[in-house]
Structures are given as C-alpha cells and as structure tokens.
Amino acid sequence: TKENGKYMSGLTAADDTARKEATERFARACFAAPPPASELGPWLAAAGVLPASVHTAVQHMNVGEIEPALRGLSKPTLVLQGRLDALVAPAMARYTASIVRGARESAYEGSGHAPFVDETRRFDEELAAFVEAAGRARQQR
C-alpha cells in the first residue's frame, strides 16, 4: 500500500532503538483495532526477532520474481486478505489468487493485516473447513 513504506522503513535501521520503535508501529498497523496490550506484547517480541536483513529483503521483493513460483503451486491454496490492511493492498490478494491454480480468495472486510486476530472465529472456522476439504480431495486422488 502507499502507507506501507512508513511502517517498513524503520525496520531496517541499524539503531536498535529506532528499529524497536518501527517494530511497534508495524505491529500496531497489523490490526483493524489494536488488541489489548497483553496480547500485543507477544507480537512485538516475535516481530522484534527478525533481523534488519530480512526486512530489507521483503522491501526489495519483486512480485514478478515470485510469480513463476506462485504459478507453479499445485497444492490447495487459500488466499486471505483483510480489506483494511495498511501493509498489503487488497489487489495483491486478488492477483495472487488469480495466478495460483485453483486458489480461492477470501476477503475479511473488517480486518487489517492479521485477520486471524481481528476476526478470529471466522478465520478459525474457514481455515478448518479449508483443511478438511483439502484432506478429502487428497484422499479422493
């Protein structure tokens, strides 16, 4: 998204304090509504362990470079997208679902980057149904 840069740029900072602050901004941007502080702590801890080099690689990732890999997928694929995502544009989910053979896209209108937090019940139910259907399809082969 246009806003993505303001969340990503500080994640590559050499200064630990700047990177910690950027990590917190990034983590908060993942949600449509911020979770309680008690739930945000583990997110910050998990996000904080990624080295700056990983964030740099993500920022320089070229969709055209990964397209062949996506087109080559032959496994059941569910593309989930929070429509309030400040980090990845909804068009990316539509694009991904369009190039992965047999992929199914599911939009979460009230979610940000983390629909599994913003809409936990729906996410859990949808993922369970998807896994069950994929298992049935595999057994039929």
Side-chain angles (χ1 to χ4, degrees):
T1 65
K2 289 183 247 177
E3 297 83 15
N4 185 296
K6 74 180 178 185
Y7 298 114
M8 296 295 289
S9 62
L11 296 173
T12 60
D15 177 67
D16 289 341
T17 301
R19 200 161 72 243
K20 182 179 179 194
E21 290 170 358
T23 297
E24 186 165 337
R25 280 192 308 278
F26 175 85
R28 289 184 186 285
C30 288
F31 312 104
S38 62
E39 292 179 25
L40 188 59
W43 272 85
L44 294 174
V49 300
L50 283 176
S53 60
V54 172
H55 292 294
T56 298
V58 169
Q59 289 177 30
H60 292 95
M61 190 167 41
N62 180 324
V63 174
E65 292 173 358
I66 63 170
E67 186 173 320
L70 292 173
R71 286 190 185 283
L73 288 176
S74 60
K75 302 292 183 194
T77 303
L78 176 62
V79 180
L80 304 171
Q81 171 71 39
R83 294 300 191 223
L84 303 177
D85 193 333
L87 303 169
V88 177
M92 191 62 191
R94 286 188 293 276
Y95 169 75
T96 301
S98 76
I99 65 172
V100 174
R101 193 174 341 128
R104 187 170 66 83
E105 180 188 0
S106 182
Y108 285 68
E109 299 300 329
S111 290
H113 193 65
F116 49 93
V117 173
D118 290 328
E119 296 182 61
T120 304
R121 173 173 269 141
R122 176 184 165 198
F123 177 88
D124 289 350
E125 290 170 356
E126 187 169 12
L127 184 58
F130 175 76
V131 169
E132 186 176 318
R136 281 193 311 270
R138 183 174 183 207
Q139 288 175 346
Q140 292 173 357
R141 285 189 277 162

